[in-house]
Amino acid sequence: MTQPFSGAADGTSVTHEVVAHVVVAYEPPVSLPAVLRYDRTDPYAVCLSLGGTPTGTVDWVFARSLLSEGLSRPVGVGDVLVIPRHRCHRHSVRIVVRSAAGAAVLDIAASAVTAFLQQTDMVVPPGAEGLHIDLDRVVAELMAGSE
């Protein structure tokens, strides 16, 4: 199940609700609501929020380019890996997320990921991310931690 896109009225963000089929070691697979988010104020990143349960959500923030490249070839090292159309789930993108608490495998419809990325490209075209970074804000945030 996928929901239509929603975003800010000024066209600076994209939100897409999807279903993630989650596999955790030694547990049966579970379908959970998930949200893919993109905002022009952080033009290199996407956020994947999983859950929406009474205990809250779990967020992973990673490069938009990682998600995009992962549609055609396996990419990533460390905490997030993206694998295209896995042989068991030919119409999905597999995202492996890891933390100190463990790892999970998420399968999300490839069509939903593709549609989401097309919408993000309309907000900030690939290669134009640097034009949307507010360097004054970034410097102010960095300096705020040093006082």
Side-chain angles (χ1 to χ4, degrees):
M1 169 181 106
T2 13
Q3 297 298 320
F5 291 105
S6 62
D10 61 3
T12 63
S13 64
V14 177
T15 301
H16 196 74
E17 296 177 10
V18 297
V19 172
H21 303 282
V22 182
V23 179
V24 178
Y26 311 111
E27 299 290 333
V30 175
S31 296
L32 291 176
V35 177
L36 289 165
R37 287 191 314 272
Y38 178 79
D39 193 285
R40 183 170 37 197
T41 61
D42 193 0
Y44 289 102
V46 295
C47 179
L48 171 62
S49 296
L50 185 65
T53 65
T55 59
T57 61
V58 178
D59 295 337
W60 285 275
V61 177
F62 53 95
R64 173 173 68 157
S65 61
L66 183 75
L67 187 59
S68 180
E69 290 176 35
L71 288 171
S72 59
R73 65 183 179 89
V75 292
V77 293
D79 294 343
V80 180
L81 309 170
V82 183
I83 304 164
R85 296 180 172 84
H86 189 264
R87 67 182 176 275
C88 297
H89 302 277
R90 297 185 198 284
H91 301 290
S92 66
V93 173
R94 178 160 279 188
I95 301 172
V96 179
V97 291
R98 299 180 221 182
S99 72
V105 175
L106 314 172
D107 289 319
I108 300 174
S111 60
V113 173
T114 299
F116 169 75
L117 288 168
Q118 289 171 343
Q119 291 293 314
T120 70
D121 291 353
M122 291 171 57
V123 174
V124 176
E129 294 90 351
L131 300 173
H132 297 279
I133 294 179
D134 181 353
L135 290 177
D136 291 334
R137 179 185 56 83
V138 171
V139 170
E141 288 175 3
L142 290 171
M143 296 303 292
S146 65
E147 295 175 357

